[in-house]
Amino acid sequence: MTLTARVVSGNEVRVPDPQAGEVTVISRYGKERAMLIHPDDFHRLDELDRMLAEAAGLTPLKPSPEALSAHLEEGAPGEPITDPAVLAELFG
Amino acid sequence: MQPPLGHCYWALAPFAPAPPFRIYQEAAAPRSVDSVEPFTEAARKGASEFALLTPVKARPVLVITEVLPEHEEVLALRLRRLEKLASDAERERVREGSDPGLFHLKPDRFPDLPVENAAIVSSLLRLPAAALDRRASLGALDDNELRALHERIARIHRLRLDMLVLERAQALVQRAQRKR
């Protein structure tokens, strides 16, 4: 999942100064509530995330003209057997 | 009975219904409808299910999934006889695995197919398990071939599997971090 950045003005919140390479974990009742990281780290992680997503994406394959015609011809019905006499002979 | 994944069987495979649609009518000749719109109009009036006369063909298919137990269904591919391909050069391309849309079924692995075939990668069919004649397998892919075929199916249908790969990668990273 690509990260979305939500910008909040520094005047609205009080946060400790983030240091590069360090994560400040804000906990509440013993549980991780938020994490504060340095902008350089965020952009590095975001870039890694994008690169991984790109690497994980599959390169589409294009069928050859021969494969396309095989798909069409084998997917199109021919002349069905409808003669009751022939059907009776086949299925009793 | 062996699991059908990767095996070829004779099956009763339907063709996709296409216009003109022929609706079965009790005690009457089929009614022909030239397009899909009259069906959607009927559905808006509350009548949405009909019996269509759909052509089917008894043919060998290659099963590419296990039987989904909740539905008793499989996904399968139609086959193309190599003799129907346009040229010897194209047949050779398919045998070498160089045609992404046609997956070669090696005759030594499919001894009970009457002739040499390739699976049409783009021809996904959903079939009830009961539409497969599982009395005898005509041959089967090995694990590596099946994996290569699945990859081609995903790529030719442009399936978005990136999140799956990402989640797996993230789980591996987390596991590695826990070991430290």
Side-chain angles (χ1 to χ4, degrees), chain B residues 94-159:
Chain B
V94 172
R95 288 187 188 111
E96 287 168 359
S98 304
D99 186 326
L102 294 168
F103 192 92
H104 185 228
L105 306 182
K106 294 176 189 153
D108 58 326
R109 301 198 61 81
F110 290 87
D112 293 319
L113 276 176
V115 292
E116 192 177 8
N117 277 271
I120 306 169
V121 179
S122 57
S123 68
L124 270 183
L125 293 168
R126 202 181 81 192
L127 296 176
L132 301 172
D133 182 348
R134 289 170 69 186
R135 290 176 298 178
S137 164
L138 307 173
L141 298 175
D142 66 24
D143 275 354
N144 283 335
E145 289 172 316
L146 194 58
R147 200 172 291 126
L149 177 58
H150 277 195
E151 184 195 314
R152 280 209 216 173
I153 291 167
R155 290 175 64 192
I156 222 149
H157 287 90
R158 294 169 171 74
L159 299 182

Side-chain angles (χ1 to χ4, degrees), chain A residues 32-71:
Chain A
E32 292 172 344
R33 184 171 168 77
M35 300 206 183
L36 183 74
I37 61 171
H38 190 272
D40 288 353
D41 291 331
F42 170 79
H43 292 302
R44 185 171 51 82
L45 289 173
D46 195 37
E47 184 58 23
L48 270 175
D49 200 38
R50 282 175 206 280
M51 281 165 60
L52 190 54
E54 202 176 312
L58 298 173
T59 317
L61 278 178
K62 197 167 181 249
S64 65
E66 192 74 45
L68 285 175
S69 82
H71 179 110

Side-chain angles (χ1 to χ4, degrees), chain B:
Chain B
M1 201 177 284
Q2 65 191 343
L5 175 65
H7 285 260
C8 234
Y9 296 100
W10 280 95
L12 196 58
F15 293 98
F21 302 104
R22 297 173 68 227
I23 307 174
Y24 165 77
Q25 303 186 103
E26 278 178 36
R31 173 180 292 266
S32 186
V33 178
D34 288 334
S35 66
V36 71
E37 288 81 7
F39 287 95
T40 53
E41 295 303 324
R44 287 196 183 99
K45 294 172 193 163
S48 58
E49 289 197 25
F50 306 91
L52 281 190
L53 297 180
T54 304
V56 296
K57 184 172 181 174
R59 66 191 316 160
V61 297
L62 178 68
V63 177
I64 58 152
T65 61
E66 296 289 2
V67 178
L68 298 177
E70 300 83 359
H71 312 293
E72 284 291 310
E73 289 175 345
V74 295
L75 294 179
L77 299 178
R78 294 192 180 108
L79 308 187
R80 179 72 158 178
R81 292 173 171 220
L82 257 63
E83 65 197 21
K84 283 188 173 179
L85 300 182
S87 65
D88 283 342
E90 177 56 25
R91 277 184 275 280
E92 217 35 57
R93 265 172 51 78
V94 172
R95 288 187 188 111
E96 287 168 359
S98 304
D99 186 326
L102 294 168
F103 192 92
H104 185 228
L105 306 182
K106 294 176 189 153
D108 58 326
R109 301 198 61 81
F110 290 87
D112 293 319
L113 276 176
V115 292
E116 192 177 8
N117 277 271
I120 306 169
V121 179
S122 57
S123 68
L124 270 183
L125 293 168
R126 202 181 81 192
L127 296 176
L132 301 172
D133 182 348
R134 289 170 69 186
R135 290 176 298 178
S137 164
L138 307 173
L141 298 175
D142 66 24
D143 275 354
N144 283 335
E145 289 172 316
L146 194 58
R147 200 172 291 126
L149 177 58
H150 277 195
E151 184 195 314
R152 280 209 216 173
I153 291 167
R155 290 175 64 192
I156 222 149
H157 287 90
R158 294 169 171 74
L159 299 182
R160 293 292 308 269
L161 302 178
D162 46 348
M163 286 311 295
L164 197 64
V165 179
L166 277 176
E167 280 168 20
R168 180 88 182 118
Q170 282 164 350
L172 287 172
V173 168
Q174 280 173 5
R175 201 167 71 188
Q177 284 172 339
R178 275 199 298 271
K179 278 183 185 166
R180 276 186 207 156

